Amino acid sequence: MLRIHFNDADLARTRLAAAPDPLFEVAASMHRLQSSRGRWAYAGWYRAARQELREQGLERALRGVLLPLYPRAAYYPDFLTPSSGVEGLEAGVEALLATPAERVVEEVGMLDRLIGAPGWAGRLAEQEVRQEFVGVLRAYYGAVVVPHQERIQARIEAERAVRGRGLLHGGVEGMLAGLGAMFRWCPPVLEVAYPRQTRDRDLYLNGRGLTLVPSYFNWGEPVAFADPGLPPVLWYSLLHEPAARPLRAEDPERSLVNLLGRVRAVALRAAAGGATTGEIARAAGVSASAASRHATVLRDAGLLTTARIGPAVLHTLTPAGASVLRAARSAAGEAAADGRVELS
Protein backbone atom coordinates (compact mmCIF):
# COMPACT_ATOMS: atom_id res chain seq x y z
CA MET A 1 0.00 0.00 0.00
CA LEU A 2 1.04 3.59 -0.67
CA ARG A 3 -0.08 6.10 1.95
CA ILE A 4 -0.11 9.71 0.72
CA HIS A 5 -0.17 12.25 3.55
CA PHE A 6 -1.92 15.59 2.96
CA ASN A 7 -2.02 18.84 4.87
CA ASP A 8 -4.26 21.84 4.16
CA ALA A 9 -1.78 23.30 1.67
CA ASP A 10 -1.63 19.97 -0.19
CA LEU A 11 -5.41 19.84 -0.54
CA ALA A 12 -5.35 23.35 -1.99
CA ARG A 13 -2.65 22.38 -4.49
CA THR A 14 -4.08 19.04 -5.63
CA ARG A 15 -5.22 19.01 -9.25
CA LEU A 16 -6.52 16.66 -11.92
CA ALA A 17 -4.59 16.71 -15.20
CA ALA A 18 -6.52 17.99 -18.21
CA ALA A 19 -4.96 15.55 -20.66
CA PRO A 20 -3.11 12.23 -20.65
CA ASP A 21 0.63 12.22 -20.01
CA PRO A 22 2.16 11.14 -23.34
CA LEU A 23 5.35 9.63 -21.93
CA PHE A 24 3.48 7.74 -19.25
CA GLU A 25 1.03 6.44 -21.87
CA VAL A 26 4.06 5.22 -23.84
CA ALA A 27 5.25 3.30 -20.77
CA ALA A 28 1.82 1.92 -19.88
CA SER A 29 1.07 0.91 -23.48
CA MET A 30 4.28 -1.14 -23.53
CA HIS A 31 3.07 -2.91 -20.42
CA ARG A 32 -0.14 -3.74 -22.29
CA LEU A 33 1.97 -5.30 -25.05
CA GLN A 34 3.78 -7.44 -22.44
CA SER A 35 0.71 -8.68 -20.58
CA SER A 36 -2.63 -10.29 -21.28
CA ARG A 37 -4.17 -8.60 -18.23
CA GLY A 38 -7.14 -6.57 -19.39
CA ARG A 39 -6.52 -7.56 -23.00
CA TRP A 40 -10.27 -7.49 -23.66
CA ALA A 41 -10.29 -3.74 -23.02
CA TYR A 42 -7.50 -3.11 -25.54
CA ALA A 43 -8.13 -5.84 -28.10
CA GLY A 44 -8.68 -3.48 -31.04
CA TRP A 45 -5.77 -1.28 -30.05
CA TYR A 46 -3.50 -4.30 -29.56
CA ARG A 47 -4.12 -5.60 -33.08
CA ALA A 48 -3.68 -2.17 -34.64
CA ALA A 49 -0.52 -1.46 -32.61
CA ARG A 50 1.17 -4.72 -33.60
CA GLN A 51 0.34 -4.07 -37.25
CA GLU A 52 1.68 -0.49 -37.13
CA LEU A 53 4.88 -1.60 -35.42
CA ARG A 54 5.43 -4.20 -38.14
CA GLU A 55 4.63 -1.87 -41.01
CA GLN A 56 6.88 0.89 -39.68
CA GLY A 57 9.77 -1.48 -38.96
CA LEU A 58 9.75 -0.79 -35.21
CA GLU A 59 9.51 -4.32 -33.85
CA ARG A 60 13.26 -4.71 -33.44
CA ALA A 61 13.57 -1.37 -31.64
CA LEU A 62 10.63 -2.34 -29.43
CA ARG A 63 12.24 -5.63 -28.37
CA GLY A 64 15.82 -4.44 -28.12
CA VAL A 65 15.52 -0.85 -26.90
CA LEU A 66 12.15 -0.05 -25.35
CA LEU A 67 10.78 -3.13 -23.60
CA PRO A 68 13.99 -3.79 -21.61
CA LEU A 69 13.74 -0.29 -20.10
CA TYR A 70 9.99 -0.50 -19.38
CA PRO A 71 9.57 -3.96 -17.84
CA ARG A 72 6.13 -4.80 -16.54
CA ALA A 73 7.45 -4.85 -13.02
CA ALA A 74 7.31 -2.86 -9.79
CA TYR A 75 10.09 -0.54 -10.98
CA TYR A 76 11.33 1.20 -14.08
CA PRO A 77 13.42 4.42 -14.11
CA ASP A 78 11.61 7.56 -12.99
CA PHE A 79 13.42 9.75 -15.51
CA LEU A 80 11.56 8.01 -18.36
CA THR A 81 8.25 9.59 -17.23
CA PRO A 82 9.14 13.09 -15.95
CA SER A 83 6.52 15.03 -14.02
CA SER A 84 6.42 17.76 -16.67
CA GLY A 85 5.06 15.16 -19.09
CA VAL A 86 1.57 16.15 -17.95
CA GLU A 87 2.15 19.38 -19.91
CA GLY A 88 2.52 17.47 -23.18
CA LEU A 89 4.95 15.39 -25.23
CA GLU A 90 7.44 18.17 -25.96
CA ALA A 91 7.64 19.24 -22.32
CA GLY A 92 8.18 15.63 -21.27
CA VAL A 93 10.84 14.98 -23.88
CA GLU A 94 12.67 18.19 -22.94
CA ALA A 95 12.72 17.13 -19.28
CA LEU A 96 13.89 13.63 -20.17
CA LEU A 97 16.78 15.06 -22.18
CA ALA A 98 17.65 17.47 -19.36
CA THR A 99 17.90 14.76 -16.70
CA PRO A 100 21.32 14.97 -15.00
CA ALA A 101 23.63 12.17 -16.09
CA GLU A 102 24.24 11.15 -12.46
CA ARG A 103 20.53 10.52 -11.94
CA VAL A 104 20.29 8.47 -15.13
CA VAL A 105 23.19 6.28 -14.00
CA GLU A 106 21.65 5.85 -10.54
CA GLU A 107 18.21 4.86 -11.82
CA VAL A 108 19.52 2.52 -14.53
CA GLY A 109 21.67 0.91 -11.82
CA MET A 110 18.57 0.40 -9.67
CA LEU A 111 16.75 -1.17 -12.62
CA ASP A 112 19.69 -3.50 -13.14
CA ARG A 113 19.77 -4.55 -9.49
CA LEU A 114 16.02 -5.13 -9.23
CA ILE A 115 15.06 -6.58 -12.60
CA GLY A 116 18.03 -6.47 -14.94
CA ALA A 117 18.95 -3.79 -17.46
CA PRO A 118 20.45 -4.13 -20.95
CA GLY A 119 24.21 -3.60 -21.08
CA TRP A 120 23.93 -0.45 -23.17
CA ALA A 121 21.45 1.27 -20.85
CA GLY A 122 24.15 3.05 -18.86
CA ARG A 123 25.08 4.99 -21.99
CA LEU A 124 21.78 6.87 -21.72
CA ALA A 125 23.76 9.22 -19.47
CA GLU A 126 25.37 10.43 -22.71
CA GLN A 127 23.35 13.15 -24.39
CA GLU A 128 23.83 11.81 -27.92
CA VAL A 129 22.60 8.34 -26.97
CA ARG A 130 19.63 9.85 -25.17
CA GLN A 131 18.74 11.88 -28.27
CA GLU A 132 18.68 8.67 -30.31
CA PHE A 133 16.54 7.01 -27.66
CA VAL A 134 14.05 9.90 -27.76
CA GLY A 135 13.82 9.42 -31.53
CA VAL A 136 12.72 5.82 -30.96
CA LEU A 137 10.20 6.97 -28.35
CA ARG A 138 8.71 9.49 -30.78
CA ALA A 139 8.39 6.86 -33.50
CA TYR A 140 6.68 4.45 -31.10
CA TYR A 141 4.33 7.15 -29.82
CA GLY A 142 3.37 8.12 -33.37
CA ALA A 143 2.68 4.50 -34.32
CA VAL A 144 0.68 3.19 -31.38
CA VAL A 145 -0.69 6.15 -29.39
CA VAL A 146 -1.38 9.02 -31.82
CA PRO A 147 -3.90 7.06 -33.97
CA HIS A 148 -6.04 6.56 -30.85
CA GLN A 149 -5.74 10.04 -29.35
CA GLU A 150 -9.36 11.00 -29.99
CA ARG A 151 -10.71 8.08 -27.97
CA ILE A 152 -8.07 8.50 -25.26
CA GLN A 153 -8.87 12.18 -24.80
CA ALA A 154 -12.60 11.46 -24.83
CA ARG A 155 -12.16 8.95 -22.00
CA ILE A 156 -10.03 11.44 -20.05
CA GLU A 157 -12.73 14.10 -20.45
CA ALA A 158 -15.37 11.67 -19.22
CA GLU A 159 -13.24 10.92 -16.18
CA ARG A 160 -12.74 14.63 -15.49
CA ALA A 161 -16.49 15.14 -15.71
CA VAL A 162 -17.08 12.46 -13.09
CA ARG A 163 -14.36 13.78 -10.78
CA GLY A 164 -15.66 17.31 -11.28
CA ARG A 165 -18.98 16.25 -9.79
CA GLY A 166 -17.18 14.96 -6.72
CA LEU A 167 -15.30 18.23 -6.47
CA LEU A 168 -18.48 20.29 -6.72
CA HIS A 169 -20.27 18.26 -4.06
CA GLY A 170 -17.43 17.74 -1.58
CA GLY A 171 -14.41 19.82 -2.56
CA VAL A 172 -11.01 18.20 -3.06
CA GLU A 173 -11.72 15.73 -0.27
CA GLY A 174 -14.93 14.71 -2.02
CA MET A 175 -12.98 14.11 -5.21
CA LEU A 176 -10.35 12.05 -3.39
CA ALA A 177 -13.04 10.01 -1.65
CA GLY A 178 -14.63 9.07 -4.97
CA LEU A 179 -11.56 7.92 -6.90
CA GLY A 180 -12.60 4.27 -6.88
CA ALA A 181 -11.81 0.84 -5.48
CA MET A 182 -8.03 1.30 -5.65
CA PHE A 183 -8.23 4.25 -3.23
CA ARG A 184 -9.46 4.92 0.28
CA TRP A 185 -9.62 8.44 1.70
CA CYS A 186 -8.93 8.37 5.45
CA PRO A 187 -8.35 12.05 6.23
CA PRO A 188 -5.65 13.27 6.00
CA VAL A 189 -4.26 10.17 4.25
CA LEU A 190 -5.07 8.76 0.82
CA GLU A 191 -4.46 5.01 0.88
CA VAL A 192 -3.59 3.65 -2.55
CA ALA A 193 -3.42 0.03 -3.69
CA TYR A 194 0.09 -0.82 -4.83
CA PRO A 195 1.69 -3.86 -6.48
CA ARG A 196 1.94 -6.77 -4.06
CA GLN A 197 5.68 -7.15 -4.60
CA THR A 198 6.23 -3.58 -3.42
CA ARG A 199 6.71 -2.75 0.24
CA ASP A 200 4.26 -0.44 1.96
CA ARG A 201 5.48 3.13 1.77
CA ASP A 202 4.52 6.61 2.91
CA LEU A 203 4.64 9.73 0.75
CA TYR A 204 4.53 13.05 2.59
CA LEU A 205 3.47 15.84 0.27
CA ASN A 206 4.68 18.59 2.62
CA GLY A 207 2.74 21.36 0.93
CA ARG A 208 3.64 20.37 -2.64
CA GLY A 209 0.17 19.10 -3.50
CA LEU A 210 -0.57 16.15 -5.77
CA THR A 211 -1.17 15.90 -9.50
CA LEU A 212 -3.65 13.14 -10.36
CA VAL A 213 -3.26 11.89 -13.92
CA PRO A 214 -5.88 9.53 -15.41
CA SER A 215 -4.23 6.99 -17.71
CA TYR A 216 -5.88 5.17 -20.58
CA PHE A 217 -3.28 2.39 -20.85
CA ASN A 218 -2.48 1.81 -17.20
CA TRP A 219 -4.21 -1.30 -15.87
CA GLY A 220 -4.60 -2.11 -12.22
CA GLU A 221 -2.76 -0.33 -9.45
CA PRO A 222 -1.90 3.37 -9.64
CA VAL A 223 1.72 4.40 -10.19
CA ALA A 224 3.86 7.00 -8.39
CA PHE A 225 7.52 7.93 -8.61
CA ALA A 226 9.89 5.69 -6.68
CA ASP A 227 11.83 8.78 -5.56
CA PRO A 228 9.76 10.69 -2.95
CA GLY A 229 11.82 13.82 -3.63
CA LEU A 230 10.35 14.21 -7.13
CA PRO A 231 7.20 16.32 -7.71
CA PRO A 232 4.25 14.23 -6.45
CA VAL A 233 2.35 12.69 -9.37
CA LEU A 234 -0.07 9.76 -9.24
CA TRP A 235 -1.11 8.08 -12.47
CA TYR A 236 -4.22 5.94 -12.14
CA SER A 237 -6.30 3.71 -14.39
CA LEU A 238 -9.50 4.72 -16.05
CA LEU A 239 -12.44 2.40 -15.55
CA HIS A 240 -12.73 0.29 -18.69
CA GLU A 241 -15.96 -1.51 -19.37
CA PRO A 242 -16.62 -4.28 -21.91
CA ALA A 243 -17.57 -2.93 -25.29
CA ALA A 244 -21.25 -2.26 -25.55
CA ARG A 245 -23.25 -4.87 -27.45
CA PRO A 246 -26.93 -5.03 -28.34
CA LEU A 247 -29.02 -5.46 -25.21
CA ARG A 248 -30.40 -8.94 -24.73
CA ALA A 249 -33.33 -10.20 -22.69
CA GLU A 250 -31.12 -11.25 -19.77
CA ASP A 251 -29.25 -7.92 -19.52
CA PRO A 252 -29.97 -5.84 -16.41
CA GLU A 253 -30.75 -2.78 -18.57
CA ARG A 254 -33.30 -4.58 -20.75
CA SER A 255 -36.13 -2.65 -19.06
CA LEU A 256 -34.64 0.50 -20.56
CA VAL A 257 -35.50 -0.80 -24.02
CA ASN A 258 -39.19 -0.73 -23.12
CA LEU A 259 -38.84 2.77 -21.68
CA LEU A 260 -36.48 4.44 -24.15
CA GLY A 261 -36.21 2.19 -27.18
CA ARG A 262 -33.25 -0.02 -28.10
CA VAL A 263 -30.91 2.62 -29.55
CA ARG A 264 -31.41 5.09 -26.72
CA ALA A 265 -30.96 2.34 -24.13
CA VAL A 266 -27.66 1.36 -25.76
CA ALA A 267 -26.64 5.03 -25.94
CA LEU A 268 -27.35 5.55 -22.25
CA ARG A 269 -25.32 2.51 -21.29
CA ALA A 270 -22.40 3.53 -23.55
CA ALA A 271 -22.38 7.04 -22.09
CA ALA A 272 -21.80 5.60 -18.61
CA GLY A 273 -18.11 5.43 -19.47
CA GLY A 274 -18.11 8.40 -21.81
CA ALA A 275 -18.75 7.80 -25.52
CA THR A 276 -18.42 9.74 -28.74
CA THR A 277 -21.26 9.86 -31.25
CA GLY A 278 -19.35 7.42 -33.43
CA GLU A 279 -18.94 4.97 -30.57
CA ILE A 280 -22.66 5.10 -29.81
CA ALA A 281 -23.39 4.52 -33.50
CA ARG A 282 -21.14 1.45 -33.58
CA ALA A 283 -22.54 0.06 -30.34
CA ALA A 284 -26.14 0.47 -31.52
CA GLY A 285 -25.53 -0.50 -35.14
CA VAL A 286 -26.93 2.74 -36.57
CA SER A 287 -25.55 5.62 -38.61
CA ALA A 288 -23.69 8.49 -36.95
CA SER A 289 -26.49 10.89 -37.84
CA ALA A 290 -29.07 8.60 -36.23
CA ALA A 291 -26.91 8.22 -33.12
CA SER A 292 -26.60 12.00 -32.92
CA ARG A 293 -30.39 12.41 -33.07
CA HIS A 294 -30.95 9.87 -30.31
CA ALA A 295 -28.25 11.48 -28.16
CA THR A 296 -29.99 14.84 -28.65
CA VAL A 297 -33.26 13.39 -27.38
CA LEU A 298 -31.52 12.02 -24.29
CA ARG A 299 -29.74 15.33 -23.74
CA ASP A 300 -32.99 17.27 -24.05
CA ALA A 301 -34.48 14.92 -21.45
CA GLY A 302 -31.65 15.76 -19.06
CA LEU A 303 -30.08 12.28 -19.14
CA LEU A 304 -26.91 13.11 -21.10
CA THR A 305 -24.51 16.02 -21.22
CA THR A 306 -22.46 16.72 -24.33
CA ALA A 307 -19.11 18.45 -24.79
CA ARG A 308 -17.10 19.09 -27.94
CA ILE A 309 -13.46 17.99 -27.78
CA GLY A 310 -11.71 19.01 -30.98
CA PRO A 311 -13.49 17.25 -33.85
CA ALA A 312 -15.25 14.79 -31.54
CA VAL A 313 -18.38 15.12 -29.41
CA LEU A 314 -18.30 13.34 -26.05
CA HIS A 315 -21.49 12.22 -24.30
CA THR A 316 -21.53 11.46 -20.57
CA LEU A 317 -24.32 10.78 -18.10
CA THR A 318 -25.87 13.52 -16.02
CA PRO A 319 -26.75 12.64 -12.41
CA ALA A 320 -30.31 11.99 -13.62
CA GLY A 321 -29.07 9.69 -16.37
CA ALA A 322 -26.87 7.80 -13.93
CA SER A 323 -29.85 7.40 -11.60
CA VAL A 324 -32.00 5.98 -14.40
CA LEU A 325 -29.30 3.45 -15.31
CA ARG A 326 -28.76 2.49 -11.67
CA ALA A 327 -32.50 2.08 -11.12
CA ALA A 328 -32.80 -0.23 -14.12
CA ARG A 329 -29.94 -2.40 -12.89
CA SER A 330 -31.28 -2.40 -9.34
CA ALA A 331 -34.76 -3.42 -10.48
CA ALA A 332 -33.31 -6.26 -12.54
CA GLY A 333 -31.25 -7.40 -9.56
CA GLU A 334 -34.30 -7.47 -7.31
CA ALA A 335 -36.27 -9.39 -9.91
CA ALA A 336 -33.48 -11.94 -10.19
CA ALA A 337 -33.37 -12.34 -6.41
CA ASP A 338 -37.11 -12.97 -6.36
CA GLY A 339 -36.89 -15.49 -9.17
CA ARG A 340 -39.00 -13.29 -11.41
CA VAL A 341 -36.54 -12.89 -14.31
CA GLU A 342 -38.04 -13.96 -17.61
CA LEU A 343 -35.64 -14.76 -20.42
CA SER A 344 -38.20 -15.02 -23.19
Side-chain angles (χ1 to χ4, degrees), residues 194-231:
Y194 230 45
R196 293 178 182 176
Q197 64 268 40
T198 304
R199 292 181 179 178
D200 287 0
R201 54 181 289 223
D202 291 271
L203 173 60
Y204 293 88
L205 300 179
N206 295 325
R208 296 174 295 171
L210 178 68
T211 300
L212 293 162
V213 186
S215 169
Y216 182 80
F217 287 110
N218 192 58
W219 183 266
E221 299 87 354
V223 177
F225 286 126
D227 183 352
L230 293 172

Side-chain angles (χ1 to χ4, degrees), residues 14 60 105 116 122 126 137 144 150 154 168 172 179 197 205 208 232 240 244 260 266 292 307:
T14 291
R60 183 175 179 181
V105 170
E126 303 171 20
L137 278 182
V144 307
E150 179 181 311
L168 287 171
V172 174
L179 283 172
Q197 64 268 40
L205 300 179
R208 296 174 295 171
H240 292 274
L260 301 174
V266 170
S292 179

Side-chain angles (χ1 to χ4, degrees), residues 38 171 189 307 333:
V189 177

Side-chain angles (χ1 to χ4, degrees), residues 71-151:
R72 196 180 69 82
Y75 177 81
Y76 60 87
D78 286 337
F79 78 88
L80 296 173
T81 54
S83 60
S84 55
V86 298
E87 308 301 330
L89 179 64
E90 296 309 318
V93 164
E94 184 177 337
L96 193 160
L97 291 172
T99 306
E102 297 80 7
R103 182 182 155 201
V104 174
V105 170
E106 178 183 350
E107 292 185 5
V108 168
M110 184 179 295
L111 175 67
D112 193 40
R113 289 192 301 275
L114 295 176
I115 293 106
W120 55 266
R123 294 191 60 206
L124 285 169
E126 303 171 20
Q127 193 62 216
E128 183 177 348
V129 175
R130 218 179 309 170
Q131 288 278 6
E132 293 177 3
F133 174 73
V134 164
V136 177
L137 278 182
R138 287 184 184 277
Y140 175 90
Y141 179 76
V144 307
V145 179
V146 169
H148 307 274
Q149 277 185 320
E150 179 181 311
R151 172 163 180 77

Side-chain angles (χ1 to χ4, degrees), residues 40-90:
W40 59 264
Y42 304 95
W45 169 84
Y46 182 83
R47 290 190 297 270
R50 299 300 306 193
Q51 181 176 346
E52 284 296 321
L53 290 167
R54 282 194 301 271
E55 291 180 354
Q56 297 191 31
L58 291 171
E59 287 184 311
R60 183 175 179 181
L62 176 69
R63 291 192 300 268
V65 177
L66 297 178
L67 294 183
L69 289 177
Y70 297 88
R72 196 180 69 82
Y75 177 81
Y76 60 87
D78 286 337
F79 78 88
L80 296 173
T81 54
S83 60
S84 55
V86 298
E87 308 301 330
L89 179 64
E90 296 309 318

Side-chain angles (χ1 to χ4, degrees), residues 5 15 21 29-30 42 93 120 127 133 135 181 194 200 205 228 235 249 262 271 281 287 304 309 321 342:
H5 298 258
R15 68 185 183 111
D21 177 342
S29 68
M30 277 188 262
Y42 304 95
V93 164
W120 55 266
Q127 193 62 216
F133 174 73
Y194 230 45
D200 287 0
L205 300 179
W235 295 272
R262 187 188 66 82
S287 67
L304 293 186
I309 306 161
E342 298 179 3

